[in-house]
């Protein structure tokens, strides 16, 4: 019995939120509180399963684990295939960790259509976990796209003033990108069918074994198909314009999930598909992608600096932070990849927490303008303390999580043989300083100084519920900062695998081509 | 050759539906107050027809001196058309409510049009296909003008009739030329003369004329002009039938004449069809953007989908043909379901058809809004809904035939279409309701909507259900 549970643990984890959805559909619309509890309990239950998954995961095994596959279409090789490695595992944990927190955070702030909201949040969780566990590109694509629907509704129904514009922009950007990926997937499936004894397949491992047969020019096109789609999701400069709109208009829970997990799906895709499937194309285009990443780091930071809206500031800071992650992935050394994966988690935690805090502030004052605040340290000290810790973590203060990730990325990319010039890393480093500038400046204007307006002195400090949902995040922020190896050791093998693949393929390129 | 009993058994579905229709004519004359029974009679007739079609499914054969196919492909379409008929009748709530429309003729015409579709789907001879096409079209001409006291309906009917008659002329002329060059109208006999026969220019012209005739029926650009007006003027349930059954049957005939016998391997024809496909996808989707009337919008969407279906024909491989069949089922069910929702919201002929009338539908009628958004997402082609699997198949077939450019265009236009499909959802979910008008649905309507929605979801999650059936018809 237990053995069977262990074999199917991924499937159970993936569909466990659906149980909650089914229960929710049976309950009347009016039972608001009950509906919310069902959602929270379901997501906590999913989190417990993922903890169990972490416990039985074998860190020393470098291959994919808990593999399970069921054919979906018989005569072409398209199937329900799941399996995880360390990279997937940390992101699954991040997802299942953040979902209950967002549901608890919206306990008071979501007042209309609670049932639909909870259903969409749980469906979103299914989609996100699905993306991280799929080992069949068809299945991956299904989850990747399916996840758009709940997010579209979450921004569109519970969003701010300009929600319709934001949500349609989000939908069209993402969909346009992913259709490019669909063409690439179709092409590869068909290429597999043309091999001797071949069959149309979208199996990740089978494709991995034949991609080196694809002509180089086409590899580059396929690589672009995948990478543009992921780059939109990350978002990489200059495809980032949907992000600030979506973030500003989304409700707090939507922003947290968007920043915490959805953006990671882009970087996950880069690390899982773009690099291992098309290493040679990746090497050839590294310079361009790294340039965009570094431009994104600096651009995001500079734009953040001039924002007057706190939420928008945090949104643009995501562009900057994710630039680091992309830099680390394409640097493709073991340190930089480890750093990138860790930084994905870090960004999910600290930016998620920042959005939560901004949301709490908004619930109290119904404003996010920096100029409306000031002197909060005196009126709401507990809030200010949490805000400070999270701000420092986002900047990358040593001892907190952000530092470890950024440090590893910078060290790794400085030594990378794939990056043509050390200047990239040097410029990227300036992003660290800039982030300190915009975050601390914002923090100083909001929290310190004199209490500028009467209403600010009457704000209520955090409630127990709010403290309760911030503390777990803070624990992880400090934990990763002080003892990162708990998390780094999960992903060591994944990073090593990617680096080995890259190094193998660079040996295959003949020296003439490299010098060109 | 004298027809044997087997021949009659082979076409049992067609016989059953037509005799039920004739029976209804008699009942109508004999019993004055028989109105309420008609829908039940029709539905039971269609169910019996489905039974026979399933019974025949395994044995593929020709009957009546090679005039009709039966079993396999033909049975597949017979089942599809019967299901379309049942869904249409179940949803005809707004028709039943109004005395003026609630007549036996409505049911009888629907049944006869379904007979026409079934004949088209099983024609093994150009003449049989033509007969089926005419039977269906004539029923549609009348049905389009069924709301006879309204100007829009009269306009729709007349427009459809005039243009339809013109297109029929093309079709017949094409058949005549093909007969002139090959000496036969039997599809299989014509196919035996491939490919040498394509060296005769007159034969190619014949095929092009045939293509134009079909292009009109499936509404390919530039033969699509009638669609928005006819769709708008007809009663919504009829529009649903035209958009699903009418299109599916024309595509069935399209496949029979162009693809089944040997597969079109004539490059010039494929070239023409591929340009038609591109134009159709572009025009359908771009004009769809500008529509405020939901029926016109769905009309343009149906044009666009004819373009996607054509992609499968252009790739002319087995994957493409399977994709067309799969997509036709999905598209028909989705379209009829969407038009069903439109007819419930419409309530009275010609009202509540603007997109603004859908504001806040999710608050006043959450069930209808949910079904409608399911349909819209499926038409966009978003997984895990069935529309995605259909598009995936069609595009995969094009990739297989090395037609990446047409896939790119298909995907570009899909992105364009996103906007107008999403706009309906925007109005339903993100806008405040104007009225608190609760629409009461009858059980029949609910059954029909739930059946369609479940099918859309089920085939999206587990497409093998249908694909394993479809793959039997086309093997490499």
């Amino acid at each position: 019995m237990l053995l069977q549970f262990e074999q199917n643990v991924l499937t159970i984890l993936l569909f466990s939120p659906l149980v909650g959805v089914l229960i929710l559909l049976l309950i009347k619309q009016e039972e608001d509180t009950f509906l919310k509890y069902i959602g929270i309990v379901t997501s906590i239950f999913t989190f417990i399963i993922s903890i169990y998954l972490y416990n039985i995961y074998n860190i020393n095994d470098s291959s994919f684990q808990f593999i399970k596959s069921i054919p979906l279409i018989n005569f072409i090789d398209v199937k329900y295939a799941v399996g995880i490695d360390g990279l997937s595992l940390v992101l699954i944990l991040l997802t299942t960790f953040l979902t209950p927190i967002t549901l608890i955070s919206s306990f008071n702030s979501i007042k209309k259509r609670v049932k639909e909201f909870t259903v969409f949040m749980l469906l979103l969780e299914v989609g996100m976990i699905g993306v991280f566990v799929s080992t069949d590109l068809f299945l991956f694509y299904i989850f990747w796209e399916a996840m758009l629907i709940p997010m579209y509704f979450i921004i569109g129904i519970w969003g701010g003033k300009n929600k319709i514009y934001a949500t349609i922009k989000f939908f069209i950007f993402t969909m346009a990108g992913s259709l490019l990926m669909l063409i690439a997937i179709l092409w590869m499936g068909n290429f597999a069918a043309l091999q001797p004894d071949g069959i149309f397949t979208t199996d990740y491992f089978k494709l991995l074994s034949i991609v080196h047969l694809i002509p180089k020019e086409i590899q580059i096109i396929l690589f672009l198909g995948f990478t543009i789609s992921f780059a939109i999701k990350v978002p990489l400069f200059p495809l980032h314009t949907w992000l600030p709109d979506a973030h500003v208009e989304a409700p707090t829970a939507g922003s947290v999930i968007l920043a915490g997990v959805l953006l990671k799906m882009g970087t996950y895709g880069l690390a899982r598909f773009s690099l291992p499937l098309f290493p040679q194309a990746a090497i050839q285009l590294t310079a361009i992608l790294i340039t965009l990443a570094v431009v994104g780091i600096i651009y995001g930071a500079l734009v953040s600096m001039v924002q007057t809206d706190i939420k928008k500031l945090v949104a643009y800071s995501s562009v900057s932070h994710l630039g680091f992650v992309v830099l680390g992935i394409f640097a493709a050394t073991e340190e930089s990849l480890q750093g990138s994966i860790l930084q994905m988690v870090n960004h999910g935690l600290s930016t998620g927490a920042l959005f939560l805090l901004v949301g709490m502030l908004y619930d109290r004052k119904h404003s996010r303008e920096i100029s409306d605040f000031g002197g909060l340290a005196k009126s709401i000290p507990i809030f200010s303390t949490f805000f400070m810790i999270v701000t420092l973590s986002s900047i990358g203060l040593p001892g907190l999580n952000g530092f470890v990730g950024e440090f590893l990325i910078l060290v790794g990319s400085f030594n990378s043989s794939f990056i043509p010039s050390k200047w990239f890393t040097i410029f990227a480093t300036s992003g660290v300083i800039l982030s300190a500038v915009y975050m601390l400046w914002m923090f100083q204007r909001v929290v310190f100084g004199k209490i500028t307006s009467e209403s600010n002195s009457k704000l209520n400090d955090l409630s127990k519920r709010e403290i309760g949902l911030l503390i777990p995040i803070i624990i992880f922020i400090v934990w990763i900062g002080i003892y990162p190896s708990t998390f780094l050791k999960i992903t060591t093998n994944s990073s090593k695998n990617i680096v080995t693949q890259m190094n193998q393929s660079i040996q295959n390129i003949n020296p003439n081509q490299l010098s060109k | 050759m004298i027809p044997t009993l087997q021949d009659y058994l082979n076409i049992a579905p067609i016989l059953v539906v037509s005799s039920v229709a004739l029976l209804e004519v008699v009942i109508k004359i004999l019993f004055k107050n028989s109105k309420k029974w008609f829908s039940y009679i029709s539905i039971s007739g269609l169910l019996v027809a489905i039974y026979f079609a399933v019974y025949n499914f395994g044995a593929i054969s020709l009957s009546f001196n090679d005039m009709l196919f039966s079993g396999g492909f033909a049975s597949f379409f017979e089942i599809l058309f019967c299901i379309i008929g049942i869904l249409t009748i179940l949803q005809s709530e707004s028709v039943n409510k109004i005395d003026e429309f609630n007549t036996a003729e409505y049911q009888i015409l629907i049944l006869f049009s379904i007979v026409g579709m079934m004949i088209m789907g099983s024609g093994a001879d150009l003449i049989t296909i033509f007969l089926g096409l005419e039977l269906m079209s004539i029923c549609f001409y009348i049905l389009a003008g069924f709301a006879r006291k309204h100007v829009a309906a009269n306009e729709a009917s007349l427009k459809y009739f005039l243009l339809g008659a013109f297109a029929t002329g093309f079709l017949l002329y094409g058949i005549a030329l093909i007969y002139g060059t090959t000496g036969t109208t039997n599809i299989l006999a014509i196919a035996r003369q491939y490919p040498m026969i394509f060296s005769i220019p007159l034969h190619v012209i014949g095929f092009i004329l045939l293509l134009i005739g079909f292009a009109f029926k499936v509404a390919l650009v530039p033969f699509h002009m009638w669609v928005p007006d006819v769709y708008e003027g007809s009663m919504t349930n009829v529009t649903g039938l035209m958009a699903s059954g009418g299109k599916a049957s024309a595509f069935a005939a399209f496949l029979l004449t162009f693809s089944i016998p040997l597969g079109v391997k004539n490059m010039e024809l494929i070239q023409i069809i591929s340009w038609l496909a591109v134009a159709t996808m572009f025009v359908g989707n771009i004009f769809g953007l500008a529509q405020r009337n939901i029926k016109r919008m769905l009309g343009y969407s149906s044009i666009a989908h004819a373009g996607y279906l054509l992609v499968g024909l252009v790739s002319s491989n087995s994957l493409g043909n399977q994709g067309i069949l799969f997509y036709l089922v999905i598209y028909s069910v989705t379209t009829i379901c969407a038009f069903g929702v439109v007819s419930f919201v419409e309530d009275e002929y010609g009202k509540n058809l603007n997109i603004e009338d859908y504001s806040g539908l999710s608050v006043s009628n959450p069930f209808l809004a949910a079904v409608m958004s399911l349909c819209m997402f499926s038409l966009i082609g978003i997984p895990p809904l069935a529309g995605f699997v259909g598009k995936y198949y069609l595009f995969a077939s094009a990739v297989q035939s090395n037609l990446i450019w047409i896939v790119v265009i298909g995907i570009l236009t899909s992105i364009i279409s996103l906007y107008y499909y999403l706009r309906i959802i925007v109005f339903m979910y993100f806008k405040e309701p104007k009225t608190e008008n609760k629409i009461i649905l009858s059980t029949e309507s609910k059954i029909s909507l739930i059946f369609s929605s479940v099918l859309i979801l089920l085939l999206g999650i587990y497409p093998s259900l249908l694909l394993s059936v479809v793959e039997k018809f086309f093997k490499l």
Side-chain angles (χ1 to χ4, degrees):
Chain A
M1 184 64 199
L2 195 68
L3 192 70
Q4 219 169 27
F5 184 75
E6 238 173 67
Q7 276 170 354
N8 293 315
V9 64
L10 285 181
T11 310
I12 295 167
L13 173 74
L14 175 57
F15 293 111
S16 59
L18 279 187
V19 179
V21 171
L22 290 180
I23 299 172
L24 284 169
L25 291 177
L26 299 175
I27 301 171
K28 280 209 180 114
Q29 191 97 39
E30 290 76 31
E31 309 264 352
D32 274 10
T33 328
F34 188 46
L35 287 166
K36 284 172 184 162
Y37 277 119
I38 295 280
I40 293 167
V41 169
T42 315
S43 58
I44 290 177
F45 181 66
T46 311
F47 180 56
I48 292 170
I49 300 179
S50 67
I51 295 288
Y52 172 76
L53 177 70
Y54 168 69
N55 276 327
I56 58 175
Y57 179 82
N58 180 1
I59 291 177
N60 301 320
D61 186 353
S62 67
S63 58
F64 276 68
Q65 299 180 29
F66 311 111
I67 290 177
K68 183 91 195 165
S69 77
I70 304 164
L72 277 181
I73 301 173
N74 304 325
F75 51 100
I76 59 175
D77 187 26
V78 165
K79 52 190 186 291
Y80 168 84
V82 290
I84 54 165
D85 68 349
L87 170 60
S88 328
L89 182 64
V90 287
L91 291 170
I92 291 170
L93 287 170
L94 180 68
T95 311
T96 53
F97 174 70
L98 282 179
T99 311
I101 287 181
T102 52
L103 279 169
I104 299 171
S105 80
S106 44
F107 205 89
N108 287 344
S109 54
I110 299 291
K111 292 195 180 73
K112 63 169 186 176
R113 301 206 202 166
V114 176
K115 183 174 171 177
E116 282 121 311
F117 179 78
T118 323
V119 167
F120 285 136
M121 286 299 284
L122 292 177
L123 286 178
L124 195 60
E125 192 179 11
V126 176
M128 295 183 299
I129 299 175
V131 163
F132 297 133
V133 298
S134 307
T135 55
D136 185 285
L137 289 177
F138 183 84
L139 190 72
F140 171 78
Y141 186 82
I142 287 186
F143 284 118
W144 174 272
E145 286 279 273
M147 199 211 53
L148 278 179
I149 300 176
M151 200 62 208
Y152 172 69
F153 282 112
I154 288 172
I155 301 176
I157 299 180
W158 295 275
K161 271 185 210 131
N162 210 1
K163 58 188 182 182
I164 293 174
Y165 171 76
T167 194
I168 290 191
K169 190 171 179 183
F170 162 73
F171 201 105
I172 292 181
F173 259 74
T174 322
M175 181 95 184
S178 43
L179 285 170
L180 291 175
M181 178 164 69
L182 180 65
I183 303 182
I185 293 176
L186 286 173
W187 198 95
M188 284 167 66
N190 188 46
F191 182 78
L194 296 176
Q195 301 309 308
D197 299 328
I199 178 172
F200 186 96
T201 184
T202 48
D203 185 285
Y204 175 64
F205 305 110
K206 284 186 195 159
L207 290 177
L208 209 52
S209 64
I210 58 153
V211 276
H212 63 275
L213 301 170
I214 300 176
K216 294 236 173 55
E217 306 76 44
I218 293 176
Q219 269 198 37
I220 288 182
I221 296 172
L222 295 174
F223 173 79
L224 284 177
F226 276 89
T227 307
I228 290 176
S229 164
F230 296 140
I232 289 177
K233 203 81 162 192
V234 171
L236 192 65
F237 178 88
L239 303 167
H240 65 282
T241 59
W242 62 272
L243 181 84
D245 288 315
H247 264 316
V248 171
E249 300 305 329
T252 303
S255 299
V256 174
I257 290 291
L258 200 58
V261 186
L262 256 60
L263 307 187
K264 306 306 159 339
M265 287 169 34
T267 45
Y268 169 82
L270 291 175
R272 165 73 74 236
F273 298 108
S274 291
L275 274 195
L277 284 176
F278 316 104
Q280 301 187 2
I283 292 166
Q284 288 198 352
L285 295 176
T286 294
I288 299 171
L289 287 160
I290 298 275
T291 313
L292 291 178
V294 173
V295 170
I297 293 172
I298 295 169
Y299 170 85
L302 290 177
V303 176
S304 291
M305 220 177 283
V306 296
Q307 296 303 318
T308 56
D309 180 319
I310 309 175
K311 210 172 178 185
K312 223 169 187 165
L313 184 145
V314 179
Y316 274 108
S317 80
S318 292
V319 178
S320 177
H321 285 296
L322 267 300
F324 278 106
V325 179
V326 176
L327 173 69
I329 289 173
F330 282 101
T333 58
E334 199 183 326
E335 296 85 18
S336 73
L337 278 165
Q338 285 284 58
S340 282
I341 299 169
L342 191 66
Q343 191 63 8
M344 290 185 209
V345 178
N346 291 341
H347 179 260
L349 293 172
S350 38
T351 309
L354 275 176
F355 277 121
L356 283 174
L357 287 160
V358 175
M360 289 168 187
L361 211 51
Y362 184 77
D363 286 345
R364 286 170 171 71
K365 173 110 182 173
H366 295 286
S367 164
R368 293 187 298 248
E369 288 295 311
I370 296 177
S371 54
D372 284 349
F373 297 99
L376 295 184
K378 290 184 195 104
S379 57
I380 42 174
I382 303 177
F383 171 87
S384 309
T385 315
F386 278 113
F387 198 24
M388 184 187 72
I389 298 172
V390 176
T391 307
L392 293 176
S393 136
S394 174
I395 296 169
L397 185 80
L400 297 175
N401 61 350
F403 172 73
V404 186
E406 279 174 5
F407 182 73
L408 280 172
I409 292 173
L410 292 173
V411 170
S413 60
F414 199 74
N415 295 328
S416 167
S417 53
F418 300 110
I419 294 183
S421 157
K422 306 250 187 248
W423 283 103
F424 286 106
T425 314
I426 295 167
F427 272 116
T429 315
S430 71
V432 181
I433 301 157
L434 287 172
S435 87
V437 174
Y438 64 79
M439 286 306 284
L440 289 179
W441 191 33
M442 180 271 288
F443 186 74
Q444 179 239 323
R445 282 180 292 169
V446 171
V447 173
F448 296 132
K450 283 190 185 132
I451 298 181
T452 45
S453 77
E454 186 68 12
S455 60
N456 281 345
S457 58
K458 287 178 191 151
L459 296 175
N460 297 321
D461 213 336
L462 298 185
S463 68
K464 283 187 184 125
R465 178 179 61 84
E466 288 166 331
I467 295 176
L469 64 93
L470 285 171
I471 286 205
I473 302 184
I474 302 291
I475 290 175
F476 278 107
I477 286 179
V478 178
W479 187 350
I480 298 177
I482 295 172
Y483 193 68
S485 67
T486 324
F487 303 89
L488 288 174
K489 71 182 179 197
I490 308 176
T491 56
T492 315
N493 279 320
S494 313
S495 316
K496 272 186 188 153
N497 281 345
I498 298 173
V499 174
T500 326
Q501 274 159 351
M502 291 290 279
N503 286 334
Q504 272 171 0
S505 66
I506 202 164
Q507 282 157 9
N508 292 341
I509 299 182
N510 63 53
N512 301 335
Q513 220 169 4
L514 202 67
S515 60
K516 243 195 284 182
Chain B
M1 231 167 38
I2 301 157
T4 60
L5 184 66
Q6 188 59 41
D7 281 347
Y8 290 107
L9 198 62
N10 281 345
I11 60 155
I14 298 176
L15 288 180
V16 170
V17 180
S18 32
S19 35
V20 170
L22 291 172
L23 186 73
E24 284 184 0
V25 176
V26 178
I27 295 176
K28 148 98 177 157
I29 297 166
L30 293 183
F31 304 99
K32 285 279 173 252
N33 287 323
S34 48
K35 269 184 195 173
K36 59 183 173 200
W37 297 107
F38 278 118
S39 31
Y40 298 110
I41 298 173
S42 317
I43 289 173
S44 29
L46 290 168
L47 285 173
V48 174
I50 291 182
Y51 169 78
F52 277 112
V54 172
Y55 177 81
N56 281 341
F57 194 83
I60 300 170
S61 59
L62 285 160
S63 34
F64 293 102
N65 299 326
D66 299 353
M67 292 295 266
L68 285 165
F69 284 110
S70 69
F73 183 83
S75 294
F76 174 82
F77 273 106
E78 278 160 3
I79 297 170
L80 174 63
F81 297 141
C82 288
I83 291 175
I84 288 173
I86 293 173
L87 292 178
T88 310
I89 292 170
L90 284 176
Q91 285 176 357
S92 298
E93 195 179 294
S94 54
V95 179
N96 296 339
K97 264 191 285 190
I98 301 158
D99 267 359
E100 180 198 341
F101 303 145
N102 184 15
T103 51
E105 285 84 356
Y106 178 73
Q107 303 279 344
I108 294 166
L109 284 169
I110 284 183
L111 286 186
F112 272 124
S113 69
I114 285 164
V115 173
M117 294 173 200
M118 295 204 284
I119 294 177
M120 281 168 84
S122 46
D125 195 291
L126 291 176
I127 297 296
T128 344
I129 291 177
F130 176 73
L131 265 181
L133 186 78
E134 275 306 273
L135 181 54
M136 179 191 79
S137 304
I138 290 170
C139 294
F140 278 170
Y141 300 148
I142 307 171
L143 281 171
F146 213 72
R148 59 184 185 282
K149 290 181 182 159
H150 298 271
V151 179
N154 283 304
E155 183 198 332
S157 181
L158 196 65
K159 210 172 225 172
Y160 194 18
F161 172 67
L162 288 177
L163 288 171
F166 198 57
T168 310
F170 276 101
L171 193 74
L172 260 187
Y173 202 23
I175 293 176
L177 285 181
I178 291 170
Y179 178 71
T181 48
T182 59
T184 175
T185 51
N186 187 292
I187 293 174
L188 295 173
I190 298 170
R192 262 177 242 126
Q193 305 188 30
Y194 290 161
M196 297 89 74
I197 196 73
F198 273 110
S199 55
I200 306 174
L202 220 49
H203 185 79
V204 177
I205 294 173
F207 255 99
I208 290 172
L209 291 176
L210 204 62
L211 180 66
I212 293 175
F214 284 132
F216 176 82
K217 290 294 169 193
V218 296
L220 300 180
V221 174
F223 309 103
H224 68 288
M225 303 294 186
W226 57 279
V227 169
D229 290 334
V230 173
Y231 278 22
E232 191 190 359
S234 312
M235 281 187 302
T236 309
N237 293 306
V238 175
T239 313
L241 183 66
M242 282 180 196
S244 55
K247 188 155 293 190
S249 58
F251 257 103
F254 223 140
L255 276 176
L256 279 170
T257 44
F258 279 74
S259 202
I260 299 271
L262 280 181
V264 191
K265 296 287 182 230
N266 184 281
M267 285 326 287
E268 284 121 45
L269 272 179
I270 290 185
Q271 200 74 35
I272 295 175
I273 296 177
S274 65
W275 284 112
L276 282 178
V278 169
T280 308
M281 289 190 285
F282 262 113
V283 171
N285 282 321
I286 289 173
F287 280 49
L289 289 177
Q291 305 305 318
R292 307 300 290 179
N293 180 307
I294 196 145
K295 275 165 88 177
R296 289 182 86 89
M297 195 216 85
L298 286 173
Y300 278 107
S301 127
S302 88
I303 295 174
H305 283 276
Y308 298 128
L309 281 159
L310 224 49
V311 172
L313 206 63
V314 173
S315 25
S316 60
N317 49 26
S318 64
L319 208 59
N321 291 341
Q322 290 165 15
I324 292 181
L325 293 193
F326 186 84
Y327 202 82
L328 273 179
V329 175
I330 303 309
Y331 162 80
S332 303
V333 172
T334 317
T335 308
I336 213 155
C337 185
F339 275 110
V341 175
V342 173
S343 79
F344 301 135
V345 175
E346 184 186 17
D347 196 34
E348 211 176 299
Y349 177 82
K351 282 194 179 159
N352 295 332
L353 284 178
N354 274 332
I355 191 161
E356 285 82 9
D357 298 317
Y358 284 74
S359 303
L361 194 73
S362 66
V363 177
S364 53
N365 300 285
F367 174 67
L368 283 182
V371 171
M372 191 67 169
S373 14
L374 199 70
C375 293
M376 293 303 115
F377 281 126
S378 178
L379 287 174
I380 298 173
I382 292 185
L385 302 173
F388 165 69
V389 185
K391 266 191 191 165
Y392 183 84
Y393 246 74
L394 292 175
F395 290 155
S397 75
V399 169
Q400 203 176 53
S401 293
N402 233 339
L403 292 161
I404 308 270
W405 66 279
I406 216 165
V407 178
V408 172
I409 287 172
I411 278 173
L412 263 181
T413 53
S414 295
I415 297 170
I416 298 174
S417 76
L418 259 185
Y419 184 76
Y420 63 84
Y421 288 126
L422 287 184
R423 192 164 53 187
I424 298 183
I425 297 168
V426 165
F427 273 93
M428 289 193 304
Y429 279 87
F430 307 160
K431 301 248 166 156
E432 295 308 313
K434 279 199 288 190
T435 51
E436 279 292 317
N437 187 11
K438 186 103 186 96
I439 297 163
I440 298 153
L441 293 178
S442 67
T443 325
E444 290 89 354
S445 320
K446 273 187 198 155
I447 292 174
S448 153
L449 292 184
I450 290 173
F451 175 83
S452 317
S453 317
V454 169
L455 207 64
I456 294 171
L457 265 175
L458 190 67
L459 289 178
I461 294 166
Y462 194 64
S464 268
L465 277 183
L466 183 58
L467 286 174
S468 54
V469 176
V470 165
E471 67 167 319
K472 291 201 182 96
F473 307 139
F474 306 99
K475 281 258 167 70
L476 274 174

